[in-house]
Amino acid sequence: MSAVPSAGNGKITVPSILERKSRVPSQNSTAGKITCLTAYDYPTARLLDEAGVDILLVGDSVGMAVLGYESTLPVTLDEMLHHTRAVRRATRHALLVADMPYGSFHVSLDESVRNAVRLVKEGGAEAVKVEGGERRIELIARLVEAEIPVMGHVGLTPQSVNALGGFHVQGKTGDAARQVERDARAVEAAGAFAVVLESMPRELAARITEKLRIPTIGIGAGPDCDGQVLVIHDLLGFGEGRRPKFVRKYADLAGEISRAVGAFRDDVKAGAFPSDAESYHSAAELREQEGPQGLKPLRKVTV
Ligand code: KIV
């Protein structure tokens, strides 16, 4: 199947994601909920795409999940492009969204648009995600004008970790909740096709979901959002450090990898790997020539 959308080829598109909002029949229904996972490499993206995940997000969480940075702040546009291209090669069905990393949309509007265009043109992204609410109105409008669909991201925005003083749940007081709600409305008004709601009380996320016409994708925002997103390494148990309470670990990949690598190490040390069946063999006539000293030289070599 081509990754280019055409009627009826099953490709998830920006309009089909928007349509899902109107199809979610009630807050408590699970029908039509949007699934989104992060992906950073070809083999993982292929599995997620084949499993029918709606949106693959090349998040700047790649910095912490894969590149070993302590926050998402050091992630560069070139790093995002590298990972987006890998995910692009694997993705046939899902909508591919790439994060705009910190610094790529903070200097000027022109430069921001240029950077987003690179994610589409060189990375193969079909949409970009931008962190921030009211402050991003102009930027989102400019990107949409440049034919680049935008996913917003409000609540806890990890690129603001220094300004926020850490990774904390947002919108817990009346004033803070009203600000998160204003941010979500601003993102919608600017033309975003969906918005990530991160780390906020479920009641606030439910209220925002009720009020917006675009789908909300929650992470640590309770079950009433129109969809859910998780970092794939968290879901698979492949991360390190403390797991936030909203993460459900569906597998223990770290444990499984440690077990497998330990078994390989033990087998090699004990001479149990590789076995004869796991080895290549010389042709029969060559084997006849092979004495205990190995192959006889074909001709005498004089030095
Ligand atoms: O970078 C990321 O992975 C994200 C998701 C957690 C929403 O922004």
Side-chain angles (χ1 to χ4, degrees):
M1 188 184 82
S2 163
V4 176
S6 72
N9 73 353
K11 174 80 183 79
I12 305 290
T13 61
V14 165
S16 71
I17 290 292
L18 262 166
E19 246 175 56
R20 300 273 281 276
K21 175 79 177 190
S22 45
R23 265 201 253 140
V24 177
S26 80
Q27 294 257 320
N28 293 327
S29 168
T30 52
K33 292 254 183 186
I34 297 162
T35 53
C36 177
L37 286 171
T38 65
Y40 317 111
D41 62 69
Y42 177 90
T44 313
R46 195 170 58 79
L47 291 171
L48 304 189
D49 191 61
E50 284 171 7
V53 173
D54 296 311
I55 302 175
L56 297 193
L57 170 66
V58 187
D60 61 353
S61 52
V62 67
M64 296 167 86
V66 172
L67 301 176
Y69 298 145
E70 282 188 4
S71 76
T72 58
L73 298 183
V75 177
T76 65
L77 186 68
D78 283 341
E79 285 168 337
M80 289 305 301
L81 279 166
H82 176 78
H83 289 277
T84 304
R85 281 194 287 260
V87 172
R88 172 73 283 160
R89 287 176 209 121
T91 307
R92 290 281 163 272
H93 167 266
L95 181 75
L96 176 51
V97 181
D99 239 338
M100 293 199 70
Y102 177 67
S104 70
F105 59 98
H106 300 80
V107 178
S108 74
L109 281 176
D110 285 349
E111 186 184 293
S112 308
V113 175
R114 247 192 314 274
N115 288 336
V117 166
R118 287 192 69 194
L119 287 168
V120 174
K121 241 177 151 57
E122 299 171 37
E126 292 157 283
V128 299
K129 180 165 78 58
V130 175
E131 289 189 12
E134 283 183 316
R135 273 181 293 192
R136 305 288 172 240
I137 292 181
E138 234 184 315
L139 170 63
I140 295 174
R142 278 286 302 273
L143 294 174
V144 171
E145 192 185 291
E147 315 297 350
I148 302 174
V150 178
M151 177 181 275
H153 184 159
V154 303
L156 174 61
T157 46
Q159 291 174 10
S160 322
V161 61
N162 291 327
L164 295 173
F167 299 110
H168 308 299
V169 177
Q170 301 295 300
K172 283 173 85 173
T173 65
D175 278 353
R178 278 186 287 278
Q179 181 59 54
V180 175
E181 204 173 317
R182 275 199 299 276
D183 284 336
R185 282 175 178 275
V187 158
E188 174 180 82
F193 73 95
V195 60
V196 170
L197 305 181
E198 178 161 355
S199 290
M200 65 184 69
R202 64 173 286 183
E203 296 78 10
L204 172 60
R207 198 163 61 240
I208 293 172
T209 300
E210 180 77 41
K211 287 183 176 166
L212 294 194
R213 282 169 287 108
I214 58 172
T216 59
I217 317 280
I219 176 163
D224 302 310
C225 300
D226 299 309
Q228 295 291 329
V229 54
L230 280 179
V231 169
I232 186 64
H233 287 58
D234 291 342
L235 176 153
L236 295 177
F238 193 24
E240 55 174 10
R242 211 173 61 82
R243 229 179 324 129
K245 108 181 209 176
F246 60 78
V247 169
R248 186 176 296 175
K249 193 171 134 183
Y250 285 86
D252 178 25
L253 228 56
E256 188 56 19
I257 290 173
S258 299
R259 188 204 57 73
V261 172
F264 166 78
R265 180 204 53 216
D266 293 346
D267 281 352
V268 171
K269 283 181 186 295
F273 175 82
S275 67
D276 185 59
E278 287 159 334
S279 307
Y280 295 112
H281 294 95
S282 305
E285 61 274 19
L286 218 58
R287 272 206 304 275
E288 274 168 26
Q289 294 176 31
E290 287 174 0
Q293 274 83 40
L295 266 185
K296 292 191 193 93
L298 290 177
R299 57 190 165 84
K300 223 176 167 162
V301 181
T302 44
V303 185

Short mmCIF file of all heavy atoms in Angstrom, two decimals, residues 38 40 57-62 72 99 129 131 153 158 196 198 219 229-231, ligand 1:
data_model
loop_
_atom_site.label_atom_id
_atom_site.label_comp_id
_atom_site.label_asym_id
_atom_site.label_seq_id
_atom_site.Cartn_x
_atom_site.Cartn_y
_atom_site.Cartn_z
N THR A 38 4.82 6.75 20.31
CA THR A 38 6.05 7.30 19.74
C THR A 38 6.79 6.19 19.01
O THR A 38 6.66 5.01 19.33
CB THR A 38 6.97 7.88 20.84
OG1 THR A 38 7.41 6.82 21.68
CG2 THR A 38 6.27 8.95 21.64
N TYR A 40 10.79 5.75 16.89
CA TYR A 40 12.04 6.47 16.57
C TYR A 40 12.90 5.72 15.55
O TYR A 40 13.90 6.24 15.11
CB TYR A 40 12.88 6.67 17.84
CG TYR A 40 12.08 7.10 19.06
CD1 TYR A 40 11.91 6.24 20.15
CD2 TYR A 40 11.53 8.37 19.13
CE1 TYR A 40 11.20 6.62 21.26
CE2 TYR A 40 10.82 8.77 20.24
CZ TYR A 40 10.64 7.90 21.31
OH TYR A 40 9.93 8.30 22.40
N LEU A 57 4.23 9.06 16.37
CA LEU A 57 4.81 10.35 16.72
C LEU A 57 6.31 10.18 16.92
O LEU A 57 6.74 9.44 17.82
CB LEU A 57 4.17 10.88 18.02
CG LEU A 57 4.86 12.11 18.64
CD1 LEU A 57 4.74 13.33 17.73
CD2 LEU A 57 4.27 12.41 20.02
N VAL A 58 7.09 10.83 16.05
CA VAL A 58 8.53 10.89 16.30
C VAL A 58 8.71 12.03 17.30
O VAL A 58 8.84 13.19 16.92
CB VAL A 58 9.33 11.11 15.00
CG1 VAL A 58 10.82 11.00 15.28
CG2 VAL A 58 8.90 10.12 13.93
N GLY A 59 8.61 11.67 18.57
CA GLY A 59 8.65 12.69 19.63
C GLY A 59 10.08 13.10 19.92
O GLY A 59 11.02 12.32 19.70
N ASP A 60 10.22 14.31 20.47
CA ASP A 60 11.58 14.69 20.88
C ASP A 60 11.96 13.93 22.16
O ASP A 60 13.09 14.03 22.63
CB ASP A 60 11.72 16.21 21.05
CG ASP A 60 10.79 16.78 22.11
OD1 ASP A 60 9.94 16.04 22.64
OD2 ASP A 60 10.90 17.99 22.41
N SER A 61 11.02 13.12 22.67
CA SER A 61 11.36 12.18 23.75
C SER A 61 12.44 11.21 23.29
O SER A 61 13.04 10.52 24.11
CB SER A 61 10.12 11.41 24.20
OG SER A 61 9.46 10.84 23.09
N VAL A 62 12.72 11.17 21.97
CA VAL A 62 13.84 10.38 21.46
C VAL A 62 15.12 10.73 22.22
O VAL A 62 15.98 9.88 22.44
CB VAL A 62 14.04 10.60 19.93
CG1 VAL A 62 14.49 12.03 19.61
CG2 VAL A 62 15.02 9.61 19.34
N THR A 72 14.62 16.81 26.99
CA THR A 72 14.44 16.87 25.54
C THR A 72 15.13 18.10 24.94
O THR A 72 15.19 18.24 23.72
CB THR A 72 12.94 16.92 25.18
OG1 THR A 72 12.35 18.06 25.83
CG2 THR A 72 12.22 15.67 25.62
N ASP A 99 7.89 15.84 15.97
CA ASP A 99 7.99 16.94 16.93
C ASP A 99 8.93 18.01 16.42
O ASP A 99 9.98 17.69 15.85
CB ASP A 99 8.59 16.39 18.24
CG ASP A 99 7.67 16.58 19.42
OD1 ASP A 99 6.79 17.45 19.36
OD2 ASP A 99 7.85 15.83 20.40
N LYS A 129 4.34 18.53 15.45
CA LYS A 129 3.77 18.84 16.77
C LYS A 129 4.59 19.99 17.36
O LYS A 129 5.81 20.00 17.28
CB LYS A 129 3.80 17.63 17.70
CG LYS A 129 3.21 17.94 19.09
CD LYS A 129 2.91 16.69 19.87
CE LYS A 129 4.10 16.04 20.50
NZ LYS A 129 4.88 16.90 21.43
N GLU A 131 4.95 22.35 20.92
CA GLU A 131 4.58 22.53 22.33
C GLU A 131 4.22 23.99 22.61
O GLU A 131 4.87 24.90 22.11
CB GLU A 131 5.76 22.13 23.23
CG GLU A 131 6.02 20.64 23.25
CD GLU A 131 7.03 20.23 24.32
OE1 GLU A 131 7.36 21.05 25.21
OE2 GLU A 131 7.48 19.07 24.26
N HIS A 153 0.18 20.94 21.74
CA HIS A 153 0.60 20.18 22.94
C HIS A 153 0.57 21.15 24.11
O HIS A 153 1.36 22.10 24.16
CB HIS A 153 2.02 19.64 22.69
CG HIS A 153 2.55 18.77 23.79
ND1 HIS A 153 3.57 17.86 23.59
CD2 HIS A 153 2.23 18.66 25.10
CE1 HIS A 153 3.85 17.24 24.71
NE2 HIS A 153 3.05 17.71 25.66
N PRO A 158 7.28 19.38 28.13
CA PRO A 158 8.61 19.09 28.65
C PRO A 158 9.71 20.06 28.20
O PRO A 158 10.71 20.22 28.88
CB PRO A 158 8.89 17.67 28.13
CG PRO A 158 7.53 17.07 27.97
CD PRO A 158 6.64 18.19 27.53
N VAL A 196 -2.34 17.47 22.05
CA VAL A 196 -1.93 16.58 23.14
C VAL A 196 -2.19 17.30 24.46
O VAL A 196 -1.82 18.47 24.62
CB VAL A 196 -0.43 16.22 23.01
CG1 VAL A 196 0.08 15.52 24.27
CG2 VAL A 196 -0.18 15.35 21.78
N GLU A 198 -1.12 16.93 28.24
CA GLU A 198 -0.17 16.14 29.04
C GLU A 198 -0.23 16.50 30.51
O GLU A 198 -0.19 17.69 30.89
CB GLU A 198 1.26 16.34 28.50
CG GLU A 198 2.31 15.58 29.33
CD GLU A 198 3.64 15.35 28.66
OE1 GLU A 198 3.79 15.69 27.47
OE2 GLU A 198 4.54 14.81 29.34
N ILE A 219 -2.01 12.16 27.60
CA ILE A 219 -0.92 11.39 28.23
C ILE A 219 -0.88 11.87 29.68
O ILE A 219 -0.59 13.04 29.95
CB ILE A 219 0.43 11.53 27.48
CG1 ILE A 219 1.54 10.79 28.24
CG2 ILE A 219 0.82 12.98 27.19
CD1 ILE A 219 2.79 10.51 27.43
N VAL A 229 -1.81 8.66 24.04
CA VAL A 229 -0.46 8.48 23.52
C VAL A 229 0.45 8.04 24.66
O VAL A 229 0.26 8.45 25.81
CB VAL A 229 0.09 9.78 22.87
CG1 VAL A 229 0.03 10.97 23.78
CG2 VAL A 229 1.51 9.59 22.34
N LEU A 230 1.39 7.15 24.36
CA LEU A 230 2.44 6.78 25.32
C LEU A 230 3.77 6.74 24.59
O LEU A 230 3.82 6.56 23.36
CB LEU A 230 2.17 5.40 25.94
CG LEU A 230 1.15 5.30 27.08
CD1 LEU A 230 1.01 3.86 27.54
CD2 LEU A 230 1.52 6.19 28.28
N VAL A 231 4.83 6.89 25.36
CA VAL A 231 6.18 6.68 24.82
C VAL A 231 6.37 5.17 24.72
O VAL A 231 6.16 4.44 25.69
CB VAL A 231 7.23 7.33 25.76
CG1 VAL A 231 8.64 6.90 25.37
CG2 VAL A 231 7.10 8.85 25.73
O1 KIV B 1 8.02 13.80 22.74
C1 KIV B 1 7.07 13.04 22.96
O2 KIV B 1 7.20 11.82 22.91
C2 KIV B 1 5.78 13.63 23.28
C3 KIV B 1 4.68 12.71 23.71
C4 KIV B 1 4.95 12.14 25.02
C5 KIV B 1 3.36 13.35 23.61
O3 KIV B 1 5.63 14.80 23.21
#
